[in-house]
Amino acid sequence: MKKPTRVNHPPAVELLPDNHAVVAPIYQSVKFEFDTVEETERYLRGERPGFYYSRSSNPTMRQLELLLAELQGREDCLVAASGVGVIAQTLLALTRQGDHVICFVESYNPTRYLIRRVLGRFGVTHTLLSIEDLAGVERTLAERPTRLVIFESPTNPVTKIADIAALTRLARAAGALSMLDNTFAGFHQHGEYEVDYYLHSLTKYASGTGDVMGGAVIARGDLIRALRTDFGALGGLLDPHAAFLILRGLKTYFVRYRAQCASALRIAQRLGEHPAVARVHYPGLPAHPQHALAARQMQDFGTIVSFDLRGGAKAARRFANALELFALAASLGSTESLVVTAQMLGGREPEAELQRLAAITEGTIRLSIGLEEPGDLLADLERALAAADAAPGA
Ligand SMILES: Cc1ncc(COP(=O)(O)O)c(C=O)c1O
């Protein structure tokens, strides 16, 4: 073998059956081969398991999928390159011209965009309701054949709680699929409800360190099978290296999530006592209008604490600019704390009516609480609140 050939066929190093890597390797390979054409054909006919081309599946992606399915309490999962990627691919795979979708004002902006503007171009219609309007959901389902109901809980940014049992019961009775973007609550929550599809951004709590993106859809085996071919064709795969980093992040998921929730509760309580704060939105506080529902549905109340400053948009800007430990950045669920103002959440085309219905005010602030020492975060917040309050009405 000449050297140009050798570099393309390097020596194979295989572990013996009694010798194992403690951390699974990254299968950074696009292609996988079977020993014969016959076995390849059997694989392509679906008659044997295996891996062939990483756009469809890859052992590192598969390890992540199987772990996430188990955490969410379902049989199967597909991962893709981002949370939005997985939402787009799932919606495209499940809808066709003439279908009707129910979605909510209190949802992630790109999800609404996908339904209203992208699916809308292909003849899919929608009804946009408030997550609190269960009567509206019931009425719409009675009036119009509906393909799916897509919702979130807690909602972004003011942590309204969806009544998951009621929404899934109504959807099921009407023959509609239910789809819960469970990103805020995490993989260990809401699995006991009759949700058909769970969506997650892996960019958030799964990786935890804010250095990798990914998304997952988790469901019963037959519901995932219904997506598999379209996911391969749409091509938004998760790279094996990203899958490896997310698997690494998941090792500390529970300790991170619980520590961050404990800090979030302390911070929410303290904010509730501050004179510059008109209202705190945190489902773990007894004053939250849906605290009882949250306590029934959730084991942990999450790491997002939102609140409305009395001083409106100007105070919100002064507050956010004065923070030192909170990065002025989108996203959530990272080990470092983050802050966004209502204006930063609104996107390029603020839709005033939607914002009002979603209970976002000019002075709304969303904090994502990280893993820093809670006392340091509280001191930073106190200082920034004093700065926000420095010149009321200015
Ligand atoms: C509830 C929710 N769903 C989906 C996404 C999208 O995830 P990604 O940024 O991984 O595309 C986000 C991102 O902020 C989110 O908050």
Side-chain angles (χ1 to χ4, degrees):
M1 208 187 280
K2 295 275 192 298
K3 286 180 180 170
T5 306
R6 192 54 170 160
V7 290
N8 283 288
H9 299 269
V13 177
E14 279 172 22
L15 291 177
L16 297 172
D18 66 345
N19 182 200
H20 315 278
V22 174
V23 175
I26 311 175
Y27 285 89
Q28 194 73 49
S29 178
V30 171
K31 295 147 287 175
F32 297 85
E33 65 170 345
F34 298 96
D35 284 343
T36 63
V37 174
E38 288 75 11
E39 283 309 298
T40 312
E41 288 175 352
R42 280 203 333 111
Y43 168 81
L44 292 172
R45 286 196 300 267
E47 291 168 10
R48 62 156 292 166
F51 296 95
Y52 188 57
Y53 194 60
S54 284
R55 176 151 44 70
S56 297
S57 195
N58 163 293
T60 313
M61 283 162 66
R62 194 64 191 139
Q63 188 181 26
L64 175 61
E65 289 171 350
L66 294 173
L67 176 60
L68 292 173
E70 202 173 318
L71 290 182
Q72 188 63 83
R74 288 299 185 277
E75 287 164 0
D76 210 348
C77 168
L78 287 171
V79 290
S82 68
V84 162
V86 102
I87 296 169
Q89 294 191 173
T90 304
L91 289 172
L92 284 168
L94 291 177
T95 56
R96 60 173 66 186
Q97 187 176 25
D99 278 347
H100 172 252
V101 170
I102 295 181
C103 55
F104 297 93
V105 172
E106 302 90 343
S107 57
Y108 185 52
N109 285 344
T111 302
R112 277 203 315 277
Y113 177 88
L114 281 167
I115 293 165
R116 300 169 78 196
R117 311 265 181 248
V118 180
L119 295 188
R121 286 205 297 268
F122 301 112
V124 174
T125 58
H126 70 274
T127 302
L128 186 64
L129 299 168
S130 165
I131 197 69
E132 292 163 306
D133 185 10
L134 282 178
V137 174
E138 190 165 12
R139 196 173 51 246
T140 307
L141 286 169
E143 283 168 0
R144 303 191 60 172
T146 296
R147 175 66 172 146
L148 58 92
V149 180
I150 178 166
F151 63 101
E152 298 168 23
S153 189
T155 67
N156 182 28
V158 299
T159 72
K160 289 188 192 176
I161 303 297
D163 187 336
I164 303 175
L167 283 166
T168 51
R169 184 171 33 74
L170 289 172
R172 190 150 294 208
L177 292 166
S178 57
M179 208 176 271
L180 168 59
D181 182 334
N182 211 18
T183 299
F184 272 41
F187 311 94
H188 62 299
Q189 305 212 69
H190 298 155
E192 67 278 30
Y193 291 95
E194 290 197 78
V195 171
D196 292 312
Y197 288 99
Y198 293 89
L199 302 163
H200 286 273
S201 165
L202 305 177
T203 314
K204 312 293 175 347
Y205 298 107
S207 96
T209 36
D211 49 10
V212 61
M213 300 194 82
V217 52
I218 305 171
R220 226 171 47 211
D222 58 317
L223 294 177
I224 290 294
R225 262 196 304 285
L227 304 177
R228 197 174 277 287
T229 307
D230 281 9
F231 263 58
L234 289 164
L237 79 148
L238 184 69
D239 182 80
H241 192 254
F244 172 84
L245 290 174
I246 295 167
L247 279 161
R248 185 165 74 170
L250 279 167
K251 289 172 198 258
T252 55
Y253 167 79
F254 285 97
V255 275
R256 279 189 281 109
Y257 195 92
R258 296 213 162 117
Q260 288 172 244
C261 285
S263 292
L265 179 61
R266 264 182 76 181
I267 286 168
Q269 285 164 340
R270 186 72 70 85
L271 287 170
E273 294 159 3
H274 200 284
V277 174
R279 185 172 168 194
V280 181
H281 310 274
Y282 186 67
L285 291 183
H288 187 288
Q290 292 160 302
H291 174 66
L293 176 60
R296 261 202 321 279
Q297 283 187 179
M298 304 180 80
Q299 308 160 39
D300 304 291
F301 298 112
T303 71
I304 300 298
V305 180
S306 295
F307 60 98
D308 305 329
L309 280 170
R310 288 191 199 286
K314 284 183 181 164
R317 266 192 210 109
R318 280 196 299 268
F319 169 81
N321 282 332
L323 284 169
E324 284 174 5
L325 292 177
F326 289 74
L328 265 174
S331 200
L332 58 116
S334 314
T335 56
E336 68 278 337
S337 293
L338 308 171
V339 59
V340 283
T341 62
Q343 290 69 28
M344 289 166 72
L345 279 170
R348 260 167 241 133
E349 292 176 86
E351 295 175 83
E353 177 61 6
L354 291 186
Q355 294 217 352
R356 187 184 65 75
L357 289 172
I360 303 169
T361 70
E362 296 264 287
T364 299
I365 296 280
R366 186 188 81 186
L367 302 176
S368 170
I369 306 303
L371 267 185
E372 300 91 341
E373 183 63 32
D376 288 339
L377 293 178
L378 283 167
D380 199 27
L381 289 166
E382 295 278 2
R383 240 184 2 78
L385 284 168
D389 220 13

